Amino acid sequence: MTETEQEVIHELNKVRTNPKAYALYLKEERQYYSGKNISKPGEITVKTREGLVAVNECIAALAKAKPVGVLRPHKGLSEAAAWLAADQAKTGRTGHNGSDGSNLSQRVERHDAGSYITIGENISYGSGEARQIVMQLLIDDGVASRGHRHNILNAAFDCCGVAINTHSVYRYVCVMDFGKFSSKW
């Protein structure tokens, strides 16, 4: 994994082990919002779907969240994540299915990650910076289920693979594959 990919796992572990403290980063982000727009110095303005409503909801959710265990890097999950990130870098596609029609479980099996109990996947588009990637997925703007946040705070997961690549439309794609395996790798 690259240094930034390792930083993503570090950020994930910060929020997992101390969600209340991680909410402070989100509180700092509020200053960049104007209505549904995020404007940071030196960056393009991004229009969100929910604006501060989603940020404030995330802060409240983190205040109530209980700490969960740390995620350990996992080679097979990293390889599965890297395949999808490279595929999307090449094709410009988005979403959880590869251009070959593969889904997460097929990619995990393809990369011989082991026999899993549970797996999940988050994908972020836009930023190549670890904290911004994790905060974007925690806020989960426009995702009614807040599924990305649930994956990050899911106590059932104990390992993770992360891959970041360029993306022709959104600058960067970051794929996070989470899991719990029945056998050690």
Side-chain angles (χ1 to χ4, degrees):
M1 286 194 300
T2 68
E3 185 176 327
T4 304
E5 291 164 350
Q6 291 172 26
E7 288 173 9
V8 169
I9 292 179
H10 181 70
E11 286 295 315
L12 290 168
N13 284 331
K14 278 184 179 179
V15 70
R16 285 172 63 89
T17 58
N18 196 343
K20 288 177 182 68
Y22 205 88
L24 295 175
Y25 298 129
L26 296 167
K27 288 178 181 178
E28 291 173 14
E29 282 293 295
R30 293 191 294 199
Q31 69 181 307
Y32 301 113
Y33 280 78
S34 175
K36 293 185 179 181
N37 293 330
I38 306 171
S39 298
K40 293 185 178 182
E43 295 186 19
I44 62 167
T45 298
V46 175
K47 184 168 182 73
T48 68
R49 292 187 180 151
E50 299 174 72
L52 275 176
V53 171
V55 178
N56 290 331
E57 185 225 301
C58 183
I59 291 167
L62 291 177
K64 295 177 189 172
K66 297 204 182 316
V68 295
V70 299
L71 297 167
R72 295 179 314 278
H74 186 281
K75 184 177 185 280
L77 289 175
S78 292
E79 291 170 354
W83 186 92
L84 185 60
D87 183 56
Q88 292 189 0
K90 189 171 32 183
T91 64
R93 293 170 56 119
T94 61
H96 295 279
N97 291 323
S99 63
D100 63 353
S102 64
N103 62 31
L104 173 61
S105 61
Q106 291 166 328
R107 290 189 300 275
V108 168
E109 290 169 12
R110 184 186 306 159
H111 293 282
D112 199 25
S115 179
Y116 60 85
I117 296 167
T118 187
I119 54 174
E121 184 170 71
N122 284 357
I123 306 173
S124 168
Y125 299 94
S127 180
E129 195 270 313
R131 180 162 297 152
Q132 293 303 313
I133 291 167
V134 172
M135 287 194 308
Q136 175 193 18
L137 293 166
L138 278 171
I139 295 167
D140 228 359
D141 183 272
V143 180
S145 69
R146 304 299 194 225
H148 300 108
R149 183 186 310 156
H150 294 298
N151 278 346
I152 291 171
L153 296 171
N154 188 339
F157 296 137
D158 63 6
C159 55
C160 184
V162 175
I164 299 172
N165 211 318
T166 58
H167 194 277
S168 61
V169 178
Y170 299 106
R171 289 189 315 151
Y172 293 100
V173 55
C174 176
V175 180
M176 302 172 190
D177 288 344
F178 301 94
K180 182 171 186 73
F181 291 80
S182 58
S183 59
K184 293 296 175 193
W185 51 92

